[in-house]
Amino acid sequence: MEFQRSLTSKLKAVVLGFMCLISLDIAAQSGWTKEKTEGFYQLSFQSLKSKDYYSLEGDLLKTNQFSQQSLIFYGEYGVTDKFTIIANWPLQTWNGFETTETVSGIGDLRLEFKHALLKKYFPLSISMAPELPIGRANHFAKSKVSDFEQINLPSGDGEFNVWTTLATSFALPSIPFYGNLFTSYNFRTQYEGVSFSDQFAIGAEIGYHIADIVWVNARLNALSSVDEVDVATDFVRGDGTEYTGYSFGASMPVYKNIHLSLNYRNYNDWIFERKNIYSSGVFGLGVYYEHKPQKK
């Protein structure tokens, strides 16, 4: 049926929303680890709406509007001065097309274990982050056009994978300016017998503290597949997705150790051309709390 063919085409674009909006781009990687008992805890809301889908060949296609909103918890805790545990968990994700109902569910939980290789003069860290497939790997949204049609809009990918990241950072001693560089490798497995290509990512971030009140930052990161993916055998799982992303953010204190953060992210073809992705601006609003250990 025409409706089913249309939805099948649009499903290819859902990949970025699931895999990248709520995962890789949530927080920049750095070479620093938290001090012992130091903590950072953030609750944020992100929203994406787009009609622009880039196919596996990189061709731009116009579709009915896809939208995704996500409520995300992100936290870091310093177990020791050199070992930090990080959690990144979409508590709820809402997905839908103009022609379907909106469905929601929890996302996959990403746990990251980060160790400082060097800390004082040249911050350098390595981390491993297994992503646990606890989200809804299959969640069908009914058509608004026909009661007999539906489309799978999962909130998780159903696959166990592991990110390994090497990151370094610097801070200038005389002015409140910092920078981060990182590279990551995503070892992917399979879902229901379909194997996925591994991925690698690179990224950079700079930040500046204005008048000791407002932090501003700019980020650039890029994602590519290790293997050439010619056919999206299971296209809602992110196989073959590539992009270059950039973002701008700001945060400021609102009460004691509680801060408000704003972020805008979008995508282009500067490093890796967009493939298998919905490309549009992503707006984020968050509140975070920082716990600092008392100095003896």
Side-chain angles (χ1 to χ4, degrees), residues 3-19:
F3 175 77
Q4 185 63 37
R5 287 195 297 269
S6 174
L7 284 184
T8 299
S9 175
K10 287 179 288 189
L11 254 179
K12 298 178 182 179
V14 179
V15 177
L16 176 70
F18 299 139
M19 303 306 112

Side-chain angles (χ1 to χ4, degrees), residues 105-249:
I106 64 171
D108 295 339
L109 173 61
R110 179 170 167 176
L111 292 176
E112 188 167 356
F113 304 94
K114 185 176 183 180
H115 176 68
L117 301 175
L118 299 171
K119 190 172 177 70
K120 189 174 182 180
Y121 299 108
F122 181 68
L124 179 68
S125 70
I126 188 169
S127 67
M128 297 192 68
E131 195 165 291
L132 309 178
I134 65 174
R136 296 196 63 165
N138 294 290
H139 200 181
F140 291 89
K142 294 182 179 179
S143 166
K144 295 179 181 178
V145 180
S146 171
D147 293 337
F148 299 99
E149 302 291 348
Q150 60 184 7
I151 189 168
N152 193 11
L153 299 178
S155 57
D157 60 14
E159 167 226 14
F160 176 80
N161 57 290
V162 180
W163 285 94
T164 301
T165 299
L166 184 68
T168 185
S169 301
F170 71 88
L172 299 184
S174 56
I175 60 175
F177 180 86
Y178 73 89
N180 298 318
L181 292 170
F182 77 89
T183 180
S184 298
Y185 189 92
N186 185 20
F187 172 75
R188 303 194 68 183
T189 55
Q190 57 84 37
Y191 177 70
E192 293 188 342
V194 178
S195 297
F196 305 121
S197 169
D198 292 351
Q199 299 169 318
F200 69 92
I202 54 175
E205 176 186 10
I206 55 174
Y208 183 76
H209 203 188
I210 301 176
D212 289 330
I213 298 176
V214 179
W215 275 106
V216 294
N217 65 67
R219 299 171 183 168
L220 181 69
N221 65 294
L223 177 77
S224 180
S225 297
V226 173
D227 302 317
E228 188 71 26
V229 179
D230 297 321
V231 179
T233 54
D234 197 348
F235 43 75
V236 297
R237 313 297 164 183
D239 208 18
T241 295
E242 300 187 4
Y243 66 88
T244 304
Y246 62 92
S247 71
F248 303 96

